[in-house]
Amino acid sequence: MNATMLPALALAVAAATGVAGRPPCPFTGSPEYAPSAGCLTAVDGRLLVVEYHSGKLSPPGGKAKEGESAQCAAHRETYEETGLDLLPVVLAATFDTGFKLYFCNMHSGSGELHVDNPLEIRRARWLPLDQVPKSSWRFPGQGEALVRILRQDKQ
């Protein structure tokens, strides 16, 4: 094996890691479809976020696979990026890119935070809600949008 093959091998190993033990999608309602989806989860005054290698933050989420419901894409991507097995419950927002963000619930078997693919995500963490507006977000206006969504949920 030559040195030019190593990055491709590392990506293949990283992609395979986490797939073997990934829990099945727990969503059983009417499926929705979108190009990408993610989870919005706040517990004890903290928001679940992933931090990219750039230092930018985002709720966990990503691209849906062909034929995969948006709810199951949100579940799968969140598990891959955070190690948490969360339940997508209700749509929180749909963005102009088609990205669907679901309120996702923790449950007793949700697991512990860990990153299966360190090539994509630096770390997953719980961000105090008072730090959301002040943080550096992956997309412009994302922090403010999340605050608005969370406030609407409280009403």
Side-chain angles (χ1 to χ4, degrees), residues 6-17 117 119:
L6 289 177
L9 178 61
L11 285 173
V13 169
T17 305
N117 187 352
L119 296 176

Side-chain angles (χ1 to χ4, degrees), residues 78-140:
T78 297
Y79 182 79
E80 289 173 358
E81 294 179 352
T82 70
L84 296 176
D85 177 13
L86 303 182
L87 175 63
V89 179
V90 65
L91 184 64
T94 301
F95 294 90
D96 57 0
T97 60
F99 181 85
K100 289 190 179 287
L101 186 63
Y102 291 90
F103 287 112
C104 295
N105 289 344
M106 300 277 294
H107 54 83
S108 62
S110 290
E112 299 291 325
L113 281 180
H114 70 276
V115 176
D116 280 342
N117 187 352
L119 296 176
E120 180 182 2
I121 303 296
R122 179 186 296 167
R123 66 181 173 144
R125 63 185 173 112
W126 293 100
L127 180 69
L129 290 176
D130 64 352
Q131 292 181 18
V132 170
K134 305 173 211 164
S135 297
S136 178
W137 293 92
R138 184 174 180 200
F139 300 106

Side-chain angles (χ1 to χ4, degrees), residues 3-72:
T4 60
M5 295 175 66
L6 289 177
L9 178 61
L11 285 173
V13 169
T17 305
V19 172
R22 183 177 2 160
C25 179
F27 185 78
T28 59
S30 297
E32 298 176 327
Y33 294 91
S36 54
C39 279
L40 182 62
T41 304
V43 176
D44 296 330
R46 299 173 301 151
L47 180 67
L48 178 64
V49 296
V50 294
E51 183 180 326
Y52 293 87
H53 291 283
S54 65
K56 303 281 186 179
L57 303 176
S58 183
K63 187 176 179 184
K65 293 182 177 183
E66 187 174 331
E68 181 180 43
S69 73
Q71 295 94 331
C72 288

